[in-house]
Amino acid sequence: MIKTENLTKIFRTDEVETSALIDVNIQIQQGEFVAVMGPSGCGKSTLLNIIGMLDGITKGVYQFNGIDVSNKNEQERTAIRKGKVGFVFQNFNLVQDLTVAENVELPLAYLKYSYAERKRLIRDILDRMNLGHREKHFPNQLSGGQQQRVATARATVANPMLILADEPTGNLDSNNGIEVMKLLTEVNQSGTTIVMVTHSQRDAAYAHRLINLYDGRVVV
C-alpha cells in the first residue's frame, strides 16, 4: 500500500539547507499497524506528512496504493488522498465553534455524502466511540480523551484506507491514552491501515511493527 525508494526530503531557505529525510526505504502493507519512532527532530512528522500527501518529496519515489505520487503537485496529491486518508493529531484540531456531530460531519460534507447518509454515519461512529450523548456538545465542553475520540471519529467516519496518527496520546493522561489506543486498535482490526508517530513505548506496543528513524534515516 505504501512504498518508498530512496525517499529524500530537503527543506531549503536562502541560507540554510536541512535534510529532514535521507534515502528512506519502507513498505507498509494494507491492514498493518505501524509505529514510527525516534528522537525529536529525526523526521517522523515529515515522513507522516509525505505519506499523507500533505507535502511533496525532494527526490526518490513514493507510491501510495499503486500510484506513483513522487512528482505530483499539491492539487494532484489532494485528489489522490481524498476519501482515502484520515488524520489524528496530538492537538485534536477540532473546530471549536462546531459541535461534536458537526466536527465529525466535515469529511462527509467534503466528500459530498447525502444528508441522510451523513446523519447515519455520524450516529453510527459516535455510538461506536461512546460519544452519542455528546453529539451536541462543543469541544471545550469535553475532556481531552473525549476530544481525541471525536478526532478519531472524524478521521474514520468515511472509512478511509489509511489513518495517520501523530502523537495521538501526547496530550492525554495514561488512562485516556490507553482508551484512544484501544480505539485505534479496533479501527485497525476492521481493516484500516494505521501509521502512528509516537515517543511512547507503551503506545508502540499496540503496533504490529516499528520503523525507527534517526537523523532522517531508517535504522535497525
Side-chain angles (χ1 to χ4, degrees), residues 19-21 36-45 212-217:
S19 296
L21 296 171
V36 181
M37 299 192 74
S40 296
C42 71
K44 299 187 301 297
S45 293
N212 292 294
L213 288 180
Y214 189 81
D215 288 344
R217 299 180 185 272

Side-chain angles (χ1 to χ4, degrees), residues 4-188:
T4 71
E5 297 178 2
N6 298 322
L7 186 152
T8 297
K9 178 64 177 180
I10 299 172
F11 293 101
R12 294 186 175 94
T13 66
D14 291 340
E15 299 179 354
V16 179
E17 183 175 285
T18 303
S19 296
L21 296 171
I22 305 167
D23 293 333
V24 171
N25 295 282
I26 61 172
Q27 291 192 53
I28 299 172
Q29 304 300 322
Q30 176 68 42
E32 279 199 281
F33 188 160
V34 176
V36 181
M37 299 192 74
S40 296
C42 71
K44 299 187 301 297
S45 293
T46 299
L47 179 60
L48 208 68
N49 287 341
I50 288 173
I51 290 173
M53 291 166 278
L54 297 175
D55 203 356
I57 68 176
T58 303
K59 62 180 180 179
V61 175
Y62 171 40
Q63 293 181 352
F64 173 77
N65 199 32
I67 300 172
D68 190 344
V69 186
S70 309
N71 297 311
K72 304 295 187 184
N73 61 35
E74 183 176 358
Q75 185 176 6
E76 291 169 330
R77 295 196 306 270
T78 298
I80 293 168
R81 73 168 179 266
K82 185 176 180 180
K84 298 182 178 67
V85 183
F87 298 88
V88 179
F89 302 97
Q90 177 177 346
N91 294 320
F92 319 137
N93 284 15
L94 300 176
V95 181
Q96 294 299 312
D97 57 355
L98 295 182
T99 66
V100 165
E102 289 167 342
N103 266 281
V104 174
E105 187 177 16
L106 286 173
L108 300 177
Y110 175 65
L111 294 169
K112 295 182 169 55
Y113 279 72
S114 70
Y115 176 83
E117 186 70 357
R118 294 201 306 268
K119 295 308 175 187
R120 183 187 68 80
L121 290 170
I122 291 166
R123 182 176 61 253
D124 288 350
I125 195 69
L126 290 182
D127 286 345
R128 180 179 173 189
M129 300 288 179
N130 296 317
L131 288 166
H133 62 299
R134 297 288 193 180
E135 65 176 347
K136 295 183 180 178
H137 286 69
F138 291 91
N140 63 9
Q141 296 175 300
L142 305 176
S143 69
Q146 289 170 333
Q147 290 188 62
Q148 193 60 294
R149 279 169 28 215
V150 175
T152 304
R154 181 183 60 189
T156 58
V157 67
N159 194 30
M161 301 171 60
L162 172 67
I163 294 290
L164 300 175
D166 194 354
E167 298 284 1
T169 69
N171 285 337
L172 304 177
D173 61 34
S174 58
N175 288 334
N176 281 313
I178 290 170
E179 184 178 345
V180 167
M181 290 309 304
K182 287 180 177 178
L183 286 172
L184 289 175
T185 300
E186 289 175 11
V187 170
N188 173 247

